[in-house]
PDB file of all heavy atoms in Angstrom:
ATOM      1  N   ASN B 352      35.037  34.533  -7.104  1.00  0.00           N
ATOM      2  CA  ASN B 352      34.644  34.081  -5.796  1.00  0.00           C
ATOM      3  C   ASN B 352      33.169  33.736  -5.738  1.00  0.00           C
ATOM      4  O   ASN B 352      32.322  34.534  -6.224  1.00  0.00           O
ATOM      5  CB  ASN B 352      34.957  35.158  -4.723  1.00  0.00           C
ATOM      6  CG  ASN B 352      36.442  35.323  -4.521  1.00  0.00           C
ATOM      7  OD1 ASN B 352      37.166  34.385  -4.207  1.00  0.00           O
ATOM      8  ND2 ASN B 352      36.913  36.556  -4.687  1.00  0.00           N
ATOM      9  N   LYS B 353      32.837  32.599  -5.167  1.00  0.00           N
ATOM     10  CA  LYS B 353      31.436  32.166  -5.031  1.00  0.00           C
ATOM     11  C   LYS B 353      31.215  31.632  -3.623  1.00  0.00           C
ATOM     12  O   LYS B 353      32.130  31.106  -2.981  1.00  0.00           O
ATOM     13  CB  LYS B 353      31.078  31.105  -6.059  1.00  0.00           C
ATOM     14  CG  LYS B 353      31.047  31.611  -7.500  1.00  0.00           C
ATOM     15  CD  LYS B 353      30.630  30.517  -8.461  1.00  0.00           C
ATOM     16  CE  LYS B 353      30.464  31.051  -9.882  1.00  0.00           C
ATOM     17  NZ  LYS B 353      29.339  31.980 -10.012  1.00  0.00           N
ATOM     18  N   GLN B 354      29.957  31.742  -3.137  1.00  0.00           N
ATOM     19  CA  GLN B 354      29.584  31.243  -1.815  1.00  0.00           C
ATOM     20  C   GLN B 354      28.468  30.198  -1.981  1.00  0.00           C
ATOM     21  O   GLN B 354      27.555  30.387  -2.792  1.00  0.00           O
ATOM     22  CB  GLN B 354      29.087  32.385  -0.931  1.00  0.00           C
ATOM     23  CG  GLN B 354      30.145  33.396  -0.556  1.00  0.00           C
ATOM     24  CD  GLN B 354      31.039  32.902   0.550  1.00  0.00           C
ATOM     25  OE1 GLN B 354      30.661  32.103   1.378  1.00  0.00           O
ATOM     26  NE2 GLN B 354      32.251  33.446   0.598  1.00  0.00           N
ATOM     27  N   PHE B 355      28.552  29.134  -1.173  1.00  0.00           N
ATOM     28  CA  PHE B 355      27.542  28.075  -1.229  1.00  0.00           C
ATOM     29  C   PHE B 355      27.089  27.732   0.190  1.00  0.00           C
ATOM     30  O   PHE B 355      27.918  27.613   1.099  1.00  0.00           O
ATOM     31  CB  PHE B 355      28.080  26.831  -1.922  1.00  0.00           C
ATOM     32  CG  PHE B 355      28.434  27.033  -3.373  1.00  0.00           C
ATOM     33  CD1 PHE B 355      29.694  27.443  -3.725  1.00  0.00           C
ATOM     34  CD2 PHE B 355      27.479  26.834  -4.347  1.00  0.00           C
ATOM     35  CE1 PHE B 355      30.028  27.646  -5.053  1.00  0.00           C
ATOM     36  CE2 PHE B 355      27.784  27.034  -5.690  1.00  0.00           C
ATOM     37  CZ  PHE B 355      29.065  27.416  -6.063  1.00  0.00           C
ATOM     38  N   ASP B 356      25.779  27.576   0.371  1.00  0.00           N
ATOM     39  CA  ASP B 356      25.221  27.092   1.638  1.00  0.00           C
ATOM     40  C   ASP B 356      25.127  25.573   1.545  1.00  0.00           C
ATOM     41  O   ASP B 356      24.492  25.046   0.612  1.00  0.00           O
ATOM     42  CB  ASP B 356      23.861  27.697   1.884  1.00  0.00           C
ATOM     43  CG  ASP B 356      23.926  29.204   2.146  1.00  0.00           C
ATOM     44  OD1 ASP B 356      24.846  29.612   2.894  1.00  0.00           O
ATOM     45  OD2 ASP B 356      23.071  29.951   1.632  1.00  0.00           O
ATOM     46  N   VAL B 357      25.714  24.885   2.496  1.00  0.00           N
ATOM     47  CA  VAL B 357      25.775  23.422   2.469  1.00  0.00           C
ATOM     48  C   VAL B 357      25.271  22.855   3.796  1.00  0.00           C
ATOM     49  O   VAL B 357      25.641  23.355   4.854  1.00  0.00           O
ATOM     50  CB  VAL B 357      27.218  22.932   2.222  1.00  0.00           C
ATOM     51  CG1 VAL B 357      27.262  21.406   2.108  1.00  0.00           C
ATOM     52  CG2 VAL B 357      27.811  23.560   0.979  1.00  0.00           C
ATOM     53  N   THR B 358      24.417  21.829   3.721  1.00  0.00           N
ATOM     54  CA  THR B 358      24.025  21.083   4.906  1.00  0.00           C
ATOM     55  C   THR B 358      24.756  19.732   4.846  1.00  0.00           C
ATOM     56  O   THR B 358      24.535  18.924   3.949  1.00  0.00           O
ATOM     57  CB  THR B 358      22.494  20.828   4.934  1.00  0.00           C
ATOM     58  OG1 THR B 358      21.830  22.087   4.937  1.00  0.00           O
ATOM     59  CG2 THR B 358      22.106  20.050   6.186  1.00  0.00           C
ATOM     60  N   LEU B 359      25.662  19.523   5.820  1.00  0.00           N
ATOM     61  CA  LEU B 359      26.522  18.346   5.764  1.00  0.00           C
ATOM     62  C   LEU B 359      25.735  17.045   5.912  1.00  0.00           C
ATOM     63  O   LEU B 359      24.800  16.972   6.734  1.00  0.00           O
ATOM     64  CB  LEU B 359      27.585  18.425   6.882  1.00  0.00           C
ATOM     65  CG  LEU B 359      28.616  19.554   6.773  1.00  0.00           C
ATOM     66  CD1 LEU B 359      29.553  19.521   7.961  1.00  0.00           C
ATOM     67  CD2 LEU B 359      29.393  19.446   5.483  1.00  0.00           C
ATOM     68  N   GLY B 360      26.135  16.050   5.157  1.00  0.00           N
ATOM     69  CA  GLY B 360      25.543  14.723   5.292  1.00  0.00           C
ATOM     70  C   GLY B 360      26.231  13.943   6.400  1.00  0.00           C
ATOM     71  O   GLY B 360      27.147  14.465   7.069  1.00  0.00           O
ATOM     72  N   GLU B 361      25.839  12.695   6.577  1.00  0.00           N
ATOM     73  CA  GLU B 361      26.430  11.844   7.618  1.00  0.00           C
ATOM     74  C   GLU B 361      27.291  10.780   6.991  1.00  0.00           C
ATOM     75  O   GLU B 361      26.868  10.089   6.046  1.00  0.00           O
ATOM     76  CB  GLU B 361      25.370  11.207   8.474  1.00  0.00           C
ATOM     77  CG  GLU B 361      25.923  10.363   9.623  1.00  0.00           C
ATOM     78  CD  GLU B 361      24.853   9.823  10.558  1.00  0.00           C
ATOM     79  OE1 GLU B 361      23.671  10.113  10.329  1.00  0.00           O
ATOM     80  OE2 GLU B 361      25.203   9.090  11.522  1.00  0.00           O
ATOM     81  N   SER B 362      28.534  10.677   7.482  1.00  0.00           N
ATOM     82  CA  SER B 362      29.450   9.645   6.960  1.00  0.00           C
ATOM     83  C   SER B 362      28.965   8.268   7.347  1.00  0.00           C
ATOM     84  O   SER B 362      28.593   8.017   8.507  1.00  0.00           O
ATOM     85  CB  SER B 362      30.870   9.868   7.519  1.00  0.00           C
ATOM     86  OG  SER B 362      31.716   8.817   7.120  1.00  0.00           O
ATOM     87  N   GLN B 363      28.973   7.349   6.403  1.00  0.00           N
ATOM     88  CA  GLN B 363      28.557   5.970   6.670  1.00  0.00           C
ATOM     89  C   GLN B 363      29.751   5.016   6.689  1.00  0.00           C
ATOM     90  O   GLN B 363      29.594   3.815   6.677  1.00  0.00           O
ATOM     91  CB  GLN B 363      27.563   5.494   5.595  1.00  0.00           C
ATOM     92  CG  GLN B 363      26.298   6.334   5.526  1.00  0.00           C
ATOM     93  CD  GLN B 363      25.435   6.175   6.756  1.00  0.00           C
ATOM     94  OE1 GLN B 363      25.351   5.119   7.360  1.00  0.00           O
ATOM     95  NE2 GLN B 363      24.752   7.256   7.122  1.00  0.00           N
ATOM     96  N   SER B 364      30.942   5.593   6.732  1.00  0.00           N
ATOM     97  CA  SER B 364      32.171   4.772   6.584  1.00  0.00           C
ATOM     98  C   SER B 364      32.710   4.213   7.896  1.00  0.00           C
ATOM     99  O   SER B 364      33.667   3.492   7.919  1.00  0.00           O
ATOM    100  CB  SER B 364      33.269   5.576   5.929  1.00  0.00           C
ATOM    101  OG  SER B 364      33.597   6.691   6.710  1.00  0.00           O
ATOM    102  N   GLN B 365      32.031   4.561   9.033  1.00  0.00           N
ATOM    103  CA  GLN B 365      32.540   4.123  10.314  1.00  0.00           C
ATOM    104  C   GLN B 365      32.364   2.613  10.472  1.00  0.00           C
ATOM    105  O   GLN B 365      31.303   2.065  10.214  1.00  0.00           O
ATOM    106  CB  GLN B 365      31.832   4.868  11.437  1.00  0.00           C
ATOM    107  CG  GLN B 365      32.188   6.333  11.511  1.00  0.00           C
ATOM    108  CD  GLN B 365      31.299   7.068  12.479  1.00  0.00           C
ATOM    109  OE1 GLN B 365      30.229   7.498  12.131  1.00  0.00           O
ATOM    110  NE2 GLN B 365      31.771   7.198  13.704  1.00  0.00           N
ATOM    111  N   GLN B 366      33.422   1.944  10.921  1.00  0.00           N
ATOM    112  CA  GLN B 366      33.368   0.515  11.166  1.00  0.00           C
ATOM    113  C   GLN B 366      33.836   0.223  12.572  1.00  0.00           C
ATOM    114  O   GLN B 366      34.626   0.955  13.171  1.00  0.00           O
ATOM    115  CB  GLN B 366      34.243  -0.255  10.181  1.00  0.00           C
ATOM    116  CG  GLN B 366      33.675  -0.291   8.762  1.00  0.00           C
ATOM    117  CD  GLN B 366      34.312  -1.379   7.938  1.00  0.00           C
ATOM    118  OE1 GLN B 366      35.148  -2.167   8.401  1.00  0.00           O
ATOM    119  NE2 GLN B 366      33.953  -1.428   6.662  1.00  0.00           N
ATOM    120  N   THR B 367      33.306  -0.881  13.146  1.00  0.00           N
ATOM    121  CA  THR B 367      33.668  -1.285  14.503  1.00  0.00           C
ATOM    122  C   THR B 367      34.097  -2.740  14.476  1.00  0.00           C
ATOM    123  O   THR B 367      33.477  -3.560  13.815  1.00  0.00           O
ATOM    124  CB  THR B 367      32.468  -1.099  15.459  1.00  0.00           C
ATOM    125  OG1 THR B 367      32.133   0.267  15.514  1.00  0.00           O
ATOM    126  CG2 THR B 367      32.802  -1.615  16.856  1.00  0.00           C
ATOM    127  N   LYS B 368      35.185  -3.033  15.189  1.00  0.00           N
ATOM    128  CA  LYS B 368      35.579  -4.420  15.353  1.00  0.00           C
ATOM    129  C   LYS B 368      34.670  -5.039  16.396  1.00  0.00           C
ATOM    130  O   LYS B 368      34.563  -4.562  17.509  1.00  0.00           O
ATOM    131  CB  LYS B 368      37.052  -4.511  15.772  1.00  0.00           C
ATOM    132  CG  LYS B 368      38.015  -4.114  14.651  1.00  0.00           C
ATOM    133  CD  LYS B 368      39.442  -4.368  15.048  1.00  0.00           C
ATOM    134  CE  LYS B 368      40.377  -4.048  13.878  1.00  0.00           C
ATOM    135  NZ  LYS B 368      41.804  -4.283  14.239  1.00  0.00           N
ATOM    136  N   ALA B 369      34.035  -6.154  16.017  1.00  0.00           N
ATOM    137  CA  ALA B 369      32.954  -6.713  16.835  1.00  0.00           C
ATOM    138  C   ALA B 369      33.447  -7.242  18.182  1.00  0.00           C
ATOM    139  O   ALA B 369      32.664  -7.334  19.127  1.00  0.00           O
ATOM    140  CB  ALA B 369      32.241  -7.805  16.075  1.00  0.00           C
ATOM    141  N   GLU B 370      34.743  -7.582  18.327  1.00  0.00           N
ATOM    142  CA  GLU B 370      35.248  -8.098  19.612  1.00  0.00           C
ATOM    143  C   GLU B 370      35.145  -7.019  20.692  1.00  0.00           C
ATOM    144  O   GLU B 370      35.179  -7.345  21.880  1.00  0.00           O
ATOM    145  CB  GLU B 370      36.671  -8.616  19.512  1.00  0.00           C
ATOM    146  CG  GLU B 370      37.681  -7.618  18.991  1.00  0.00           C
ATOM    147  CD  GLU B 370      37.993  -7.823  17.522  1.00  0.00           C
ATOM    148  OE1 GLU B 370      37.047  -8.156  16.750  1.00  0.00           O
ATOM    149  OE2 GLU B 370      39.145  -7.652  17.118  1.00  0.00           O
ATOM    150  N   GLN B 371      35.044  -5.752  20.293  1.00  0.00           N
ATOM    151  CA  GLN B 371      34.858  -4.678  21.263  1.00  0.00           C
ATOM    152  C   GLN B 371      33.462  -4.740  21.904  1.00  0.00           C
ATOM    153  O   GLN B 371      33.228  -4.176  22.963  1.00  0.00           O
ATOM    154  CB  GLN B 371      35.081  -3.330  20.601  1.00  0.00           C
ATOM    155  CG  GLN B 371      36.475  -3.127  20.070  1.00  0.00           C
ATOM    156  CD  GLN B 371      36.627  -1.836  19.290  1.00  0.00           C
ATOM    157  OE1 GLN B 371      35.645  -1.115  19.049  1.00  0.00           O
ATOM    158  NE2 GLN B 371      37.847  -1.494  18.882  1.00  0.00           N
ATOM    159  N   LEU B 372      32.548  -5.425  21.238  1.00  0.00           N
ATOM    160  CA  LEU B 372      31.178  -5.516  21.721  1.00  0.00           C
ATOM    161  C   LEU B 372      30.900  -6.820  22.456  1.00  0.00           C
ATOM    162  O   LEU B 372      30.190  -6.832  23.465  1.00  0.00           O
ATOM    163  CB  LEU B 372      30.191  -5.383  20.552  1.00  0.00           C
ATOM    164  CG  LEU B 372      30.356  -4.135  19.656  1.00  0.00           C
ATOM    165  CD1 LEU B 372      29.358  -4.153  18.533  1.00  0.00           C
ATOM    166  CD2 LEU B 372      30.219  -2.870  20.489  1.00  0.00           C
ATOM    167  N   HIS B 373      31.436  -7.952  21.960  1.00  0.00           N
ATOM    168  CA  HIS B 373      31.200  -9.249  22.571  1.00  0.00           C
ATOM    169  C   HIS B 373      32.287 -10.221  22.115  1.00  0.00           C
ATOM    170  O   HIS B 373      32.591 -10.265  20.916  1.00  0.00           O
ATOM    171  CB  HIS B 373      29.821  -9.811  22.200  1.00  0.00           C
ATOM    172  CG  HIS B 373      29.383 -10.963  23.007  1.00  0.00           C
ATOM    173  ND1 HIS B 373      29.813 -12.247  22.721  1.00  0.00           N
ATOM    174  CD2 HIS B 373      28.572 -11.057  24.100  1.00  0.00           C
ATOM    175  CE1 HIS B 373      29.238 -13.085  23.585  1.00  0.00           C
ATOM    176  NE2 HIS B 373      28.503 -12.389  24.418  1.00  0.00           N
ATOM    177  N   PRO B 374      32.896 -11.015  23.005  1.00  0.00           N
ATOM    178  CA  PRO B 374      33.989 -11.948  22.617  1.00  0.00           C
ATOM    179  C   PRO B 374      33.579 -12.940  21.547  1.00  0.00           C
ATOM    180  O   PRO B 374      34.383 -13.304  20.686  1.00  0.00           O
ATOM    181  CB  PRO B 374      34.337 -12.666  23.923  1.00  0.00           C
ATOM    182  CG  PRO B 374      33.865 -11.746  25.014  1.00  0.00           C
ATOM    183  CD  PRO B 374      32.661 -11.038  24.472  1.00  0.00           C
ATOM    184  N   GLY B 375      32.296 -13.364  21.563  1.00  0.00           N
ATOM    185  CA  GLY B 375      31.836 -14.341  20.571  1.00  0.00           C
ATOM    186  C   GLY B 375      31.767 -13.784  19.168  1.00  0.00           C
ATOM    187  O   GLY B 375      31.679 -14.562  18.202  1.00  0.00           O
ATOM    188  N   LEU B 376      31.815 -12.469  19.020  1.00  0.00           N
ATOM    189  CA  LEU B 376      31.776 -11.843  17.696  1.00  0.00           C
ATOM    190  C   LEU B 376      33.167 -11.528  17.133  1.00  0.00           C
ATOM    191  O   LEU B 376      33.270 -10.899  16.097  1.00  0.00           O
ATOM    192  CB  LEU B 376      30.949 -10.554  17.763  1.00  0.00           C
ATOM    193  CG  LEU B 376      29.483 -10.699  18.218  1.00  0.00           C
ATOM    194  CD1 LEU B 376      28.833  -9.315  18.337  1.00  0.00           C
ATOM    195  CD2 LEU B 376      28.703 -11.548  17.221  1.00  0.00           C
ATOM    196  N   THR B 377      34.203 -11.951  17.887  1.00  0.00           N
ATOM    197  CA  THR B 377      35.592 -11.672  17.471  1.00  0.00           C
ATOM    198  C   THR B 377      35.835 -12.182  16.059  1.00  0.00           C
ATOM    199  O   THR B 377      35.540 -13.317  15.708  1.00  0.00           O
ATOM    200  CB  THR B 377      36.561 -12.341  18.444  1.00  0.00           C
ATOM    201  OG1 THR B 377      36.379 -11.818  19.754  1.00  0.00           O
ATOM    202  CG2 THR B 377      38.018 -12.076  18.019  1.00  0.00           C
ATOM    203  N   GLY B 378      36.414 -11.304  15.247  1.00  0.00           N
ATOM    204  CA  GLY B 378      36.731 -11.657  13.869  1.00  0.00           C
ATOM    205  C   GLY B 378      35.801 -11.006  12.852  1.00  0.00           C
ATOM    206  O   GLY B 378      36.073 -11.032  11.660  1.00  0.00           O
ATOM    207  N   ALA B 379      34.694 -10.426  13.343  1.00  0.00           N
ATOM    208  CA  ALA B 379      33.751  -9.763  12.448  1.00  0.00           C
ATOM    209  C   ALA B 379      33.952  -8.264  12.524  1.00  0.00           C
ATOM    210  O   ALA B 379      34.217  -7.704  13.587  1.00  0.00           O
ATOM    211  CB  ALA B 379      32.331 -10.132  12.829  1.00  0.00           C
ATOM    212  N   SER B 380      33.795  -7.593  11.387  1.00  0.00           N
ATOM    213  CA  SER B 380      33.775  -6.127  11.353  1.00  0.00           C
ATOM    214  C   SER B 380      32.377  -5.674  11.020  1.00  0.00           C
ATOM    215  O   SER B 380      31.712  -6.240  10.168  1.00  0.00           O
ATOM    216  CB  SER B 380      34.752  -5.611  10.274  1.00  0.00           C
ATOM    217  OG  SER B 380      36.077  -5.843  10.672  1.00  0.00           O
ATOM    218  N   LEU B 381      31.934  -4.623  11.718  1.00  0.00           N
ATOM    219  CA  LEU B 381      30.529  -4.182  11.636  1.00  0.00           C
ATOM    220  C   LEU B 381      30.473  -2.722  11.200  1.00  0.00           C
ATOM    221  O   LEU B 381      31.369  -1.938  11.523  1.00  0.00           O
ATOM    222  CB  LEU B 381      29.826  -4.355  12.976  1.00  0.00           C
ATOM    223  CG  LEU B 381      29.911  -5.722  13.657  1.00  0.00           C
ATOM    224  CD1 LEU B 381      29.250  -5.663  15.013  1.00  0.00           C
ATOM    225  CD2 LEU B 381      29.239  -6.800  12.798  1.00  0.00           C
ATOM    226  N   SER B 382      29.418  -2.354  10.493  1.00  0.00           N
ATOM    227  CA  SER B 382      29.180  -0.956  10.131  1.00  0.00           C
ATOM    228  C   SER B 382      27.676  -0.729  10.068  1.00  0.00           C
ATOM    229  O   SER B 382      26.878  -1.701   9.974  1.00  0.00           O
ATOM    230  CB  SER B 382      29.839  -0.615   8.812  1.00  0.00           C
ATOM    231  OG  SER B 382      29.151  -1.236   7.726  1.00  0.00           O
ATOM    232  N   ASN B 383      27.275   0.543  10.080  1.00  0.00           N
ATOM    233  CA  ASN B 383      25.866   0.855   9.900  1.00  0.00           C
ATOM    234  C   ASN B 383      25.488   0.601   8.437  1.00  0.00           C
ATOM    235  O   ASN B 383      26.298   0.755   7.511  1.00  0.00           O
ATOM    236  CB  ASN B 383      25.605   2.336  10.209  1.00  0.00           C
ATOM    237  CG  ASN B 383      25.692   2.616  11.705  1.00  0.00           C
ATOM    238  OD1 ASN B 383      25.300   1.788  12.509  1.00  0.00           O
ATOM    239  ND2 ASN B 383      26.212   3.765  12.076  1.00  0.00           N
ATOM    240  N   THR B 384      24.236   0.210   8.213  1.00  0.00           N
ATOM    241  CA  THR B 384      23.736   0.067   6.852  1.00  0.00           C
ATOM    242  C   THR B 384      23.542   1.462   6.227  1.00  0.00           C
ATOM    243  O   THR B 384      23.431   2.454   6.937  1.00  0.00           O
ATOM    244  CB  THR B 384      22.399  -0.675   6.836  1.00  0.00           C
ATOM    245  OG1 THR B 384      21.495  -0.054   7.780  1.00  0.00           O
ATOM    246  CG2 THR B 384      22.563  -2.148   7.192  1.00  0.00           C
ATOM    247  N   GLN B 385      23.513   1.493   4.905  1.00  0.00           N
ATOM    248  CA  GLN B 385      23.271   2.759   4.206  1.00  0.00           C
ATOM    249  C   GLN B 385      21.788   3.046   4.163  1.00  0.00           C
ATOM    250  O   GLN B 385      20.950   2.138   4.284  1.00  0.00           O
ATOM    251  CB  GLN B 385      23.823   2.672   2.760  1.00  0.00           C
ATOM    252  CG  GLN B 385      25.280   2.300   2.658  1.00  0.00           C
ATOM    253  CD  GLN B 385      26.191   3.453   2.998  1.00  0.00           C
ATOM    254  OE1 GLN B 385      25.799   4.593   2.880  1.00  0.00           O
ATOM    255  NE2 GLN B 385      27.417   3.175   3.376  1.00  0.00           N
ATOM    256  N   LYS B 386      21.447   4.326   3.987  1.00  0.00           N
ATOM    257  CA  LYS B 386      20.006   4.694   3.911  1.00  0.00           C
ATOM    258  C   LYS B 386      19.365   4.026   2.696  1.00  0.00           C
ATOM    259  O   LYS B 386      18.145   3.812   2.666  1.00  0.00           O
ATOM    260  CB  LYS B 386      19.890   6.203   3.826  1.00  0.00           C
ATOM    261  CG  LYS B 386      20.249   6.910   5.139  1.00  0.00           C
ATOM    262  CD  LYS B 386      20.031   8.410   5.028  1.00  0.00           C
ATOM    263  CE  LYS B 386      20.371   9.090   6.337  1.00  0.00           C
ATOM    264  NZ  LYS B 386      20.207  10.572   6.270  1.00  0.00           N
ATOM    265  N   SER B 387      20.180   3.743   1.681  1.00  0.00           N
ATOM    266  CA  SER B 387      19.627   3.151   0.456  1.00  0.00           C
ATOM    267  C   SER B 387      19.357   1.655   0.623  1.00  0.00           C
ATOM    268  O   SER B 387      18.688   1.042  -0.217  1.00  0.00           O
ATOM    269  CB  SER B 387      20.585   3.371  -0.713  1.00  0.00           C
ATOM    270  OG  SER B 387      21.890   2.863  -0.401  1.00  0.00           O
ATOM    271  N   ASP B 388      19.907   1.021   1.679  1.00  0.00           N
ATOM    272  CA  ASP B 388      19.695  -0.418   1.892  1.00  0.00           C
ATOM    273  C   ASP B 388      18.232  -0.667   2.212  1.00  0.00           C
ATOM    274  O   ASP B 388      17.574   0.107   2.915  1.00  0.00           O
ATOM    275  CB  ASP B 388      20.588  -0.927   3.023  1.00  0.00           C
ATOM    276  CG  ASP B 388      22.056  -0.962   2.617  1.00  0.00           C
ATOM    277  OD1 ASP B 388      22.334  -1.071   1.424  1.00  0.00           O
ATOM    278  OD2 ASP B 388      22.918  -0.864   3.516  1.00  0.00           O
TER     279      ASP B 388
END
Side-chain angles (χ1 to χ4, degrees):
N352 290 304
K353 292 182 175 292
Q354 293 282 333
F355 296 90
D356 293 317
V357 183
T358 301
L359 295 178
E361 183 174 359
S362 174
Q363 299 292 326
S364 62
Q365 292 170 274
Q366 289 197 4
T367 297
K368 290 187 177 180
E370 57 260 37
Q371 297 174 353
L372 305 179
H373 192 279
L376 299 175
T377 300
S380 291
L381 308 175
S382 71
N383 289 324
T384 50
Q385 304 284 337
K386 290 182 179 179
S387 57
D388 290 334

